């Protein structure tokens, strides 16, 4: 008994620019707290300790005017994806 496998659709192309989701309320609050403390003249290391973020995050937030959001992740391939054609024929 031979099983024929249908031709698969070509993979979908991803856009050059990834989609972004708006920042969560928690991310936005941290961002605003960092910007507020930096505006008060506190050093970055102290801001990082008070807000609870890394110093690199403080430096990154200092350069941004607004939080850019979170990049959307591409969906993971399903485990049965290689076998879907065979399974639909059964």
């Amino acid at each position: 008994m031979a099983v024929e496998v249908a031709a698969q659709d070509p993979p979908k192309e991803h856009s050059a620019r990834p989609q972004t989701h708006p920042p969560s309320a928690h991310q936005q609050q941290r961002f605003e707290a960092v910007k507020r403390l930096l505006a008060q003249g506190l050093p970055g290391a102290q801001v990082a300790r008070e807000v609870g973020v890394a110093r690199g995050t403080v430096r990154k937030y200092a350069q941004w005017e607004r939080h850019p959001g979170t990049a959307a992740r591409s969906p993971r391939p399903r485990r049965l994806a290689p076998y879907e054609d065979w399974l639909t024929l059964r």
Side-chain angles (χ1 to χ4, degrees):
M1 180 166 117
V3 176
E4 293 182 29
V5 178
Q8 295 181 355
D9 294 332
K12 295 180 180 178
E13 293 184 25
H14 297 287
S15 61
R17 188 175 203 182
Q19 284 185 320
T20 58
H21 299 289
S24 67
H26 181 68
Q27 288 173 325
Q28 189 63 35
Q29 288 173 351
R30 284 190 311 190
F31 177 75
E32 291 170 0
V34 167
K35 293 298 267 187
R36 184 178 59 253
L37 293 172
L38 288 173
Q40 292 175 5
L42 283 129
Q46 185 177 352
V47 172
R49 277 192 303 273
E50 289 187 22
V51 178
V53 297
R55 288 178 294 165
T57 303
V58 172
R59 284 192 296 270
K60 182 171 57 173
Y61 284 2
Q63 296 175 355
W64 296 345
E65 291 182 26
R66 63 180 185 84
H67 197 291
T70 305
R73 294 181 180 171
S74 59
R76 286 179 25 188
R78 297 179 8 205
R79 283 187 172 203
L80 292 179
Y83 311 103
E84 284 179 349
D85 293 333
W86 180 79
L87 289 169
T88 56
L89 293 173
R90 291 198 86 201

